[in-house]
Amino acid sequence: MKSTLFTVFTFLLMVTTACAKGVDYDEDNANKILLAMQKAAETYPQIENQDQKNILDSARTLFLNHGYGATSIDDIASEAGVSNDVIYAFYPNKEELTADLLEQWRIIELGNFQVWIEEAKKVETEPLRQSIAFVKNIEDFAAWYAVNNGVVPGDVWAAFVADHENHSPESMEMVSSGLREWSVTMEAQFAEIYNCRTSKTSATAADLAHQLTILIEGTIVLSRAWQDAYLL
């Protein structure tokens, strides 16, 4: 276990050192990443009805800011500018609305991770440097968002885990599956490092992926809790 944790810590320290350059960020890279994310988003399943889109966007905002349990259908309707009847025309209850929101979030977040990795591979050929560039892409996006919005982007996964007692087992399984997809995506990238480098410890690509998932989620939670937009 000691060697595994040491390898994970060493990798994360190396990534942090490579990426940390004060609160400044690479604006050109951030704009490039944003453009790639926007192009990828065009390929995702689209919600055509504007009322439904407003409902889901409003629910996400309220869940992030106030929690699932503290948000009612009345609150969502008021935020979305629609009546309760309009919401019930799409969703018979809050749980089904939530399931749709979680699926939408899963598609977007997995797509973002894939964009960050693909863009890293365009500028680096060596797997370790690709992984560092991947983390730098996350950092630049988060920094751009912080500069333009005053806070790091909220994370639906973290919000739902914190409020888990108010969710059904089905909803929590969707959250768990979404986080596993993050980890598996990163694990594939880290596995490429192991394919061309000899490891002297028992740490695996999965170990690194799990720890980086924890680091990303934890940093988002702390950034919002401490109202520190530049923590990432």
Side-chain angles (χ1 to χ4, degrees):
M1 175 61 71
K2 181 178 179 181
S3 61
T4 298
L5 291 178
F6 178 76
T7 298
V8 170
F9 175 78
T10 301
F11 174 79
L12 295 178
L13 179 62
M14 177 172 58
V15 167
T16 302
T17 302
C19 293
K21 303 184 185 302
V23 298
D24 292 333
Y25 68 102
D26 187 337
E27 187 172 1
D28 288 339
N29 186 55
N31 289 331
K32 181 186 69 173
I33 296 302
L34 285 165
L35 181 61
M37 289 167 64
Q38 290 166 357
K39 288 183 177 179
E42 294 174 359
T43 68
Y44 305 156
Q46 302 295 315
I47 296 174
E48 300 297 337
N49 187 284
Q50 190 60 47
D51 282 340
Q52 185 180 16
K53 184 177 185 302
N54 290 343
I55 289 166
L56 290 172
D57 290 345
S58 297
R60 182 177 65 250
T61 298
L62 292 170
F63 291 165
L64 286 172
N65 291 337
H66 305 294
Y68 176 88
T71 300
S72 67
I73 290 293
D74 287 344
D75 295 328
I76 297 171
S78 178
E79 181 76 13
V82 300
S83 68
N84 288 25
D85 288 342
V86 171
I87 293 181
Y88 288 127
F90 294 108
Y91 305 107
N93 53 58
K94 192 167 73 168
E95 195 63 41
E96 291 200 22
L97 186 159
T98 299
D100 215 359
L101 174 62
L102 288 174
E103 176 61 13
Q104 183 187 56
W105 185 260
R106 182 192 71 79
I107 292 170
I108 292 171
E109 285 298 278
L110 183 60
N112 287 343
F113 265 72
Q114 291 169 338
V115 166
W116 295 330
I117 289 176
E118 289 167 3
E119 291 300 309
K121 290 185 174 183
K122 290 179 182 179
V123 297
E124 298 289 354
T125 57
E126 200 275 327
L128 180 57
R129 291 188 176 277
Q130 287 175 351
S131 297
I132 293 173
F134 158 64
V135 176
K136 185 66 169 66
N137 288 341
I138 300 176
E139 179 193 52
D140 284 340
F141 165 71
W144 173 89
Y145 195 99
V147 167
N148 288 275
N149 296 277
V151 65
V152 299
D155 180 55
V156 168
W157 302 143
F160 271 63
V161 170
D163 206 16
H164 65 89
E165 68 274 7
N166 290 309
H167 298 295
S168 68
E170 291 78 14
S171 290
M172 292 311 300
E173 176 55 32
M174 292 181 72
V175 172
S176 179
S177 295
L179 288 171
R180 279 197 295 269
E181 285 183 318
W182 279 21
S183 188
V184 168
T185 299
M186 291 186 286
E187 181 182 348
Q189 176 60 31
F190 294 147
E192 295 184 22
I193 299 175
Y194 281 77
N195 287 338
C196 63
R197 291 174 179 263
T198 301
S199 174
K200 297 181 180 180
T201 76
S202 59
T204 66
D207 293 327
L208 293 177
H210 292 162
Q211 290 301 314
L212 189 53
T213 300
I214 292 169
L215 181 63
I216 293 170
E217 284 292 299
T219 302
I220 291 173
V221 170
L222 287 176
S223 180
R224 291 181 70 85
W226 293 346
Q227 293 298 298
D228 183 353
Y230 299 101
L231 189 60
L232 271 175

